Amino acid sequence: MAGAETRELAATEIKFLIDLNCARAISDWARSRIGPDPNAPDETGYYQTTSLYFDTASRDVLNQRGSYARSKYRVRRYGGGDGEGTFLERKLKKGGMVRKRRSVIGIGDLSRLAQGITESGGAERGWNGYWFHRRLLARQLRPVCQIAYRRLARVTETGSGPLRLTVDQEMRAHRIDHLRFEHGAPGILLSEKQPILELKFRQAMPELFAQLIEEFHLSPATVSKYRLAAAALGISNVPLDPNAECEADEQPATAPF
């Protein structure tokens, strides 16, 4: 997939922790107003999301040290099998926005990222994942955990740009030390009774989302899937720095995404 797409994305994100009853009600609300995500296999809008997360040996990402507080790298797949489409992602907090750079590779190319990380070798030029591989090596990032969850996603276009609503639940995590997905791994359940609702949009708060927040009396929350997993799996081998900045997807909920 040498010619696969690489994109730079930017948006604002608001997060909420909700209960199961609220998640069901919001899912019904969203289905009646917002179309399904293209990644969803059917009109229900549900699909499995699985991500590999990276950190250094001293857990600089988890502890938000220096530039590690502003960027996060992960490899993501949608669905439960090994079909086409593996996404390399960097989330970067810059200029008051959180920007995402994303490239698509084939599942067979995932082993190329292991060179210099879990195997000998280095980053190879001439393929779509070179930039991502080079940054992993430069920042001494290694795979530390896999997080999988069931996602409801709805998307639509508005006059001020696209908007996206997701509800993530049944989140499970397990430790890894290799660059491959383990679909079906049981893992540790992270948040059974508190799904995560995320609202994403480009400019001002869309009226549709303002209605949702008012109707369901939603209160923004600060949450990070990686921190939930790190706590559950005992990933941190150094004390968490209480003075560390929030990570890119663990900002106060009104911060740009």
Side-chain angles (χ1 to χ4, degrees):
M1 300 184 66
E5 183 181 17
T6 297
R7 294 189 297 163
E8 294 276 357
L9 307 169
T12 297
E13 180 184 87
I14 306 179
K15 295 186 177 185
F16 307 85
L17 282 174
I18 56 179
D19 62 34
L20 293 174
N21 289 333
C22 186
R24 285 190 285 269
I26 288 176
S27 297
D28 291 340
W29 183 97
R31 286 194 197 94
S32 67
R33 295 167 174 83
I34 309 173
D37 187 291
N39 290 304
D42 54 47
E43 287 295 315
T44 67
Y46 282 103
Y47 55 86
Q48 188 75 5
T49 300
T50 308
S51 299
L52 309 182
Y53 284 77
F54 297 80
D55 209 336
T56 65
S58 56
R59 304 299 182 245
D60 293 308
V61 176
L62 188 63
N63 281 279
Q64 302 301 287
R65 296 191 181 98
S67 62
Y68 291 94
R70 298 187 295 274
S71 63
K72 182 173 62 180
Y73 294 79
R74 66 191 179 198
V75 180
R76 173 166 288 184
R77 289 189 57 73
Y78 299 104
D82 286 329
E84 286 293 313
T86 300
F87 298 86
L88 310 179
E89 297 182 350
R90 180 199 65 190
K91 294 178 70 174
L92 176 66
K93 185 179 179 181
K94 183 178 180 181
M97 295 289 289
V98 173
R99 303 178 183 275
K100 180 188 293 184
R101 183 178 184 184
R102 166 184 275 194
S103 295
V104 188
I105 64 171
I107 189 65
D109 286 326
L110 192 58
S111 60
R112 302 171 76 169
L113 295 177
Q115 305 302 314
I117 299 177
T118 60
E119 300 176 10
S120 61
E124 302 176 11
R125 295 179 181 272
W127 72 295
N128 213 42
Y130 171 67
W131 70 270
F132 186 88
H133 194 185
R134 185 167 59 90
R135 296 310 299 160
L136 292 184
L137 296 179
R139 300 178 72 79
Q140 299 183 326
L141 294 168
R142 301 177 62 86
V144 292
C145 71
Q146 173 180 291
I147 303 176
Y149 46 91
R150 185 169 179 250
R151 165 168 283 185
L152 168 73
R154 312 296 292 186
V155 296
T156 191
E157 289 285 340
T158 69
S160 57
L163 59 80
R164 177 178 173 87
L165 177 152
T166 60
V167 178
D168 297 337
Q169 51 192 319
E170 301 172 20
M171 292 173 281
R172 292 184 176 272
H174 71 279
R175 298 189 70 154
I176 59 172
D177 59 4
H178 48 257
L179 270 159
R180 64 176 180 271
F181 289 93
E182 296 183 357
H183 297 295
I188 295 177
L189 191 61
L190 299 182
S191 182
E192 180 180 11
K193 297 182 179 180
Q194 283 197 300
I196 298 174
L197 167 68
E198 298 183 17
L199 308 179
K200 298 180 182 179
F201 48 93
R202 292 286 177 86
Q203 298 181 26
M205 168 72 74
E207 182 179 350
L208 191 64
F209 283 168
Q211 293 172 357
L212 172 70
I213 293 170
E214 181 178 2
E215 181 173 339
F216 289 92
H217 309 289
L218 300 174
S219 297
T222 298
V223 62
S224 161
K225 293 184 183 74
Y226 177 46
R227 281 184 173 263
L228 289 174
L233 299 172
I235 284 177
S236 179
N237 58 5
V238 290
L240 284 175
D241 181 356
N243 298 314
E245 299 179 30
C246 290
E247 63 177 289
D249 81 343
E250 192 202 2
Q251 303 167 62
T254 53
F257 170 83

